[in-house]
Amino acid sequence: MLCAGRLGGLGSRAAPLWPGRAGSRGLGARIRARGVSTSWFPVGAAFNVKPQGRRLDLFGERRGLFGVPELSAPEGFRVAQENALRKADLLVERVCSVAPGPQTVLIFDELSDSLCRVADLADFVKIAHPEPAFREAAEEACTSIGTAVEKLNTNVELYRSLQKLLADKKLVDSLDPETRRVAELFMFDFEISGIHLDKEKRKRAVDLNVKILDLSNTFLMGTNFPNKIEKHLLPEHIRQNFVVAGNHVIVDGLHAESPDDLVREAAYKIFLYPNAGQLRCLEELLSNRDLLAKLVGYSTYSHRALQGTIAQSPETVMQFLEKLSEKLSERTIRDFEMIRGMKMKLNPQNSELMPWDPPYYSGVIRAERYNIEPSLYCPFFSLGACMEGLNTLFGRLLGITLYAEQPAKGEVWCEGVRKLAVVHESEGLLGYIYCDFFQRAGKPHQDCHFTIRGGRLKEDGDYQLPVVVLMLNLPHPSRNLPTLLTPGMMENLFHEMGHAMHSMLGRTRYQHVTGTRCPTDFAEVPSILMEYFANDHRVVSQFARHYQTGQSLPKNMVSRLCESKKVGAAADMQLQVFYAALDQIYHGKHPLTASTTDILRETQEKFYGLPYVPNTDGRGALSQGDAGTRRGQGTDAHGARYASEMSFY
């Protein structure tokens, strides 16, 4: 794929990773160090205060989103995409005329970078910007760049320029390992895009890819749309838990933490009620993916998607899932019995365990068994304290410090966004993290990481700094109260920051393989590692301080919190096995043996153990995963997850 994209989000990865591969780390002395700026200030304070707004500046320059001058207005996306496409044409002409050698790979990577810098940024803006005009302009840019990329992936002249290099053994042997690996990855991307086909079939492959991109975006956006029901159908004490608009009750999620069984049940059944348009979209998406896979020479789409990953094949994945499910079985049954016992204790009239029960009752068990009521912990986990904890951890492990920096006018899309500079003790400035942490109307609910610009070594010896966004959904601080995190929110923060640091530290010569642009089944490793730090009392005790008194979180509270993570762990893992198995079946042999909803029911009953609820549809797995787990992006846990992975930019 000429343009390798980002990890996380709705249109990708979920959370999710876009294609790319891992490369070598650390350029050492080849990168010129950047000094510390006097405009930076301590990171903790930046997150514990409510933004005061910028001083009136009548004459200051408006820099545009992420400092891109063209993006000071929505119309700038058209300018940016036209500039990128013009540059791409020149680079294609150049690489096709240059003699094969290392320069070929450098030009390919520059071509990839020029397209990614527009596509990745636009992909974020189209779902996150609060202004519809910006979102619409970004969507158009995504479509335009995406179509161009698909055509380049089947450009025979471009392919032959790379083929000449890789066919010359003497030239290949002269390449350094990183350059050779990147050249092979670009060739691999041509091959899975159908470069070997005749002209008519190549055009068909391009058309299918563009259609798949559109369908996947439509489906993934649709999974987040609320459902509504006439308010007279819900008792007053139930509907007061939801938003009421006129004669309807709006349900925008699963309300998995509600203590009222009927509220959780209503949310589950209403939010997941079948949507005919979504089901048609999903079925058409899966069908077109299967057509594409067969057209380019794979028996299933899953075989195509897993090519080049650590797992390598669907057979390996399913063997792993079957074995894992077998090993989990007894522990999962014990977890369900424990959860059922708590439900029976609190609600003896209705003790049957249903899919909307485990998240809530697991929390009740943790609170009762370990006395970890979130309200006891939240005062110790102010957002500023957690950010300082991350800062300390990164300093000790990696020699890195985070500094807050005041964004320029127009640089961010919302006042609450903070900008962090990532600074290494010897190499200087490594890149920037934009922290879009706070709730706002219309903002996607998922916690995720976006690559806006990948790092690469430029011809002048300077390093193109990576730029990423972390998006969470935290309450705003007030004048007298900082944002206080629950233990789960704190762990989420650590997880997402793991992705960000992967992007900052995964420094390679080529942006095509930088940071999180690695095999999709490796992408979660750094972020999962950060969760272990978030669950280690030696780490937590270093930063957890009461926001008013400064008192450290007592050691016994830290220990109880860490120990409580084991409650229901097998059932949680079993749920992920179900999602992954569903993903493999949806993208396996076609035509499917039944409807997507029937397959969902069969797979849930086989791999999860709790009953399927009639009249809930295929978006249920995706929605449940987003509500019940923090780590959906990049893990391919859900049926729609390949929507982003195989979008080719």
Side-chain angles (χ1 to χ4, degrees):
M1 308 87 189
L2 286 173
C3 197
R6 50 83 176 162
L7 177 68
L10 298 173
S12 70
R13 169 239 246 312
L17 179 69
W18 290 19
R21 303 296 183 274
S24 62
R25 309 276 181 88
L27 300 177
R30 288 183 291 164
I31 303 173
R32 294 197 289 266
R34 295 166 173 84
V36 175
S37 168
T38 56
S39 66
W40 295 336
F41 50 96
V43 68
F47 288 89
N48 267 358
V49 297
K50 189 175 180 66
Q52 299 302 309
R54 295 179 179 82
R55 291 174 294 180
L56 183 62
D57 185 354
L58 299 177
F59 306 104
E61 179 185 3
R62 186 175 179 83
R63 294 182 60 186
L65 291 171
F66 297 102
V68 178
E70 297 92 335
L71 300 184
S72 58
E75 297 76 19
F77 271 104
R78 181 172 295 278
V79 176
Q81 75 188 44
E82 289 174 352
N83 289 342
L85 293 174
R86 271 197 301 271
K87 183 176 181 180
D89 288 341
L90 294 173
L91 289 169
V92 169
E93 183 179 343
R94 181 182 168 196
V95 78
C96 291
S97 60
V98 73
Q103 188 69 13
T104 303
V105 184
L106 288 170
I107 299 171
F108 261 83
D109 191 65
E110 188 176 357
L111 173 58
S112 175
D113 181 63
S114 66
L115 296 169
C116 283
R117 290 179 64 169
V118 177
D120 289 346
L121 192 158
D123 182 66
F124 168 73
V125 171
K126 76 179 183 182
I127 67 165
H129 204 288
E131 296 180 26
F134 268 101
R135 295 198 301 270
E136 292 166 8
E139 178 70 48
E140 291 177 8
C142 283
T143 300
S144 176
I145 297 292
T147 301
V149 168
E150 297 307 337
K151 291 178 179 178
L152 290 173
N153 281 341
T154 53
N155 183 312
V156 175
E157 189 178 4
L158 187 62
Y159 160 74
R160 286 175 179 161
S161 69
L162 185 63
Q163 187 184 44
K164 289 177 185 176
L165 169 62
L166 292 175
D168 189 324
K169 186 177 185 305
K170 186 176 180 180
L171 274 178
V172 170
D173 290 343
S174 71
L175 299 176
D176 64 86
E178 186 178 3
T179 300
R180 178 174 178 173
R181 178 61 178 154
V182 171
E184 291 170 347
L185 290 172
F186 277 122
M187 178 58 73
F188 171 77
D189 297 336
F190 276 120
E191 291 168 350
I192 68 169
S193 296
I195 195 67
H196 55 286
L197 302 174
D198 61 37
K199 183 177 180 180
E200 183 178 339
K201 289 182 177 178
R202 287 198 307 274
K203 183 180 184 305
R204 173 65 173 152
V206 170
D207 292 343
L208 279 170
N209 267 314
V210 172
K211 187 174 183 180
I212 287 167
L213 177 62
D214 182 56
L215 286 168
S216 62
N217 284 337
T218 300
F219 178 77
L220 284 170
M221 293 299 288
T223 62
N224 293 278
F225 291 157
N227 265 343
K228 63 182 179 180
I229 187 173
E230 293 182 14
K231 67 179 184 181
H232 74 270
L233 297 175
L234 288 178
E236 170 61 28
H237 76 282
I238 299 297
R239 67 172 179 256
Q240 68 183 7
N241 292 274
F242 306 108
V243 174
V244 177
N247 292 321
H248 290 90
V249 173
I250 309 298
V251 180
D252 62 357
L254 296 178
H255 291 247
E257 302 303 322
S258 172
D260 190 322
D261 288 357
L262 291 177
V263 170
R264 296 196 310 278
E265 179 179 355
Y268 189 98
K269 291 180 174 179
I270 296 169
F271 186 65
L272 302 183
Y273 190 79
N275 179 297
Q278 274 288 95
L279 290 175
R280 284 194 300 271
C281 182
L282 175 60
E283 289 165 1
E284 188 176 1
L285 174 61
L286 296 175
S287 176
N288 278 275
R289 285 175 171 170
D290 182 68
L291 289 173
L292 175 64
K294 288 183 169 63
L295 179 64
V296 299
Y298 293 88
S299 57
T300 71
Y301 191 84
S302 187
H303 282 87
R304 180 176 181 268
L306 288 167
Q307 186 78 23
T309 64
I310 298 170
Q312 295 186 336
S313 72
E315 292 77 17
T316 301
V317 172
M318 286 305 295
Q319 287 172 10
F320 170 75
L321 293 174
E322 295 277 2
K323 191 69 173 178
L324 180 57
S325 185
E326 177 188 332
K327 294 290 187 182
L328 284 171
S329 178
E330 290 186 10
R331 291 162 63 181
T332 300
I333 291 172
R334 289 199 298 269
D335 279 357
F336 284 150
E337 288 175 348
M338 173 185 66
I339 296 168
R340 186 178 291 108
M342 178 56 72
K343 183 175 183 179
M344 186 177 297
K345 175 182 175 181
L346 297 181
N347 188 3
Q349 291 80 25
N350 183 22
S351 60
E352 182 183 5
L353 193 62
M354 299 300 291
W356 52 79
D357 290 326
Y360 172 69
Y361 286 111
S362 293
V364 172
I365 294 169
R366 293 187 188 101
E368 181 180 273
R369 185 176 296 179
Y370 296 100
N371 190 24
I372 57 160
E373 171 61 38
S375 62
L376 300 176
Y377 283 83
C378 290
F380 294 90
F381 291 140
S382 71
L383 178 55
C386 293
M387 292 302 296
E388 282 295 352
L390 285 162
N391 206 14
T392 300
L393 181 63
F394 293 148
R396 293 181 179 178
L397 290 177
L398 306 167
I400 281 174
T401 303
L402 304 175
Y403 293 98
E405 178 175 307
Q406 181 71 32
K409 183 169 63 174
E411 186 178 350
V412 297
W413 49 100
C414 183
E415 186 184 58
V417 175
R418 270 64 160 184
K419 179 182 179 183
L420 298 182
V422 181
V423 183
H424 188 267
E425 59 190 4
S426 62
E427 294 194 17
L429 181 60
L430 298 184
Y432 288 103
I433 304 171
Y434 289 82
C435 299
D436 187 356
F437 282 178
F438 302 111
Q439 299 166 344
R440 63 174 176 272
K443 182 180 180 181
H445 292 297
Q446 292 162 311
D447 295 344
C448 42
H449 162 278
F450 298 81
T451 294
I452 302 300
R453 183 177 71 200
R456 70 185 181 101
L457 187 64
K458 297 190 289 188
E459 290 186 19
D460 62 4
D462 202 0
Y463 197 78
Q464 176 173 291
L465 296 178
V467 175
V468 304
V469 173
L470 293 189
M471 191 159 67
L472 306 177
N473 280 274
L474 305 176
H476 285 269
S478 65
R479 184 176 299 275
N480 301 315
L481 184 70
T483 294
L484 302 179
L485 277 59
T486 65
M489 290 175 180
M490 181 271 288
E491 189 175 328
N492 252 15
L493 173 63
F494 272 63
H495 177 99
E496 298 302 335
M497 192 60 78
H499 287 311
M501 296 311 295
H502 189 182
S503 292
M504 296 295 111
L505 295 169
R507 294 163 74 82
T508 59
R509 182 184 308 172
Y510 303 101
Q511 69 83 37
H512 192 64
V513 293
T514 191
T516 56
R517 292 170 179 172
C518 61
T520 55
D521 43 6
F522 177 78
E524 293 297 309
V525 172
S527 53
I528 296 298
L529 177 62
M530 287 301 298
E531 290 188 31
Y532 282 95
F533 285 112
N535 290 319
D536 191 305
H537 69 88
R538 294 168 296 179
V539 175
V540 175
S541 61
Q542 293 294 310
F543 69 86
R545 300 281 188 277
H546 196 284
Y547 77 98
Q548 289 176 316
T549 67
Q551 174 194 357
S552 297
L553 183 64
K555 185 175 180 180
N556 67 330
M557 289 182 67
V558 178
S559 299
R560 292 201 308 269
L561 176 62
C562 296
E563 189 66 21
S564 73
K565 303 291 184 180
K566 300 174 185 177
V567 173
D572 289 344
M573 180 69 75
Q574 193 72 57
L575 183 63
Q576 295 303 309
V577 172
F578 155 48
Y579 295 152
L582 180 66
D583 182 29
Q584 292 299 312
I585 295 169
Y586 276 171
H587 293 94
K589 187 176 180 180
H590 276 242
L592 296 174
T593 57
S595 70
T596 54
T597 300
D598 286 341
I599 291 171
L600 170 69
R601 174 179 51 78
E602 293 167 6
T603 309
Q604 179 172 330
E605 291 173 352
K606 176 180 178 181
F607 283 99
Y608 189 36
L610 294 186
Y612 167 77
V613 179
N615 291 319
T616 56
D617 66 16
R619 83 163 173 169
L622 179 61
S623 303
Q624 291 175 63
D626 293 338
T629 178
R630 296 169 311 289
R631 54 185 81 116
Q633 71 271 21
T635 58
D636 305 327
H638 314 300
R641 193 63 66 205
Y642 284 130
S644 22
E645 289 176 19
M646 304 305 291
S647 294
F648 301 109
Y649 62 80

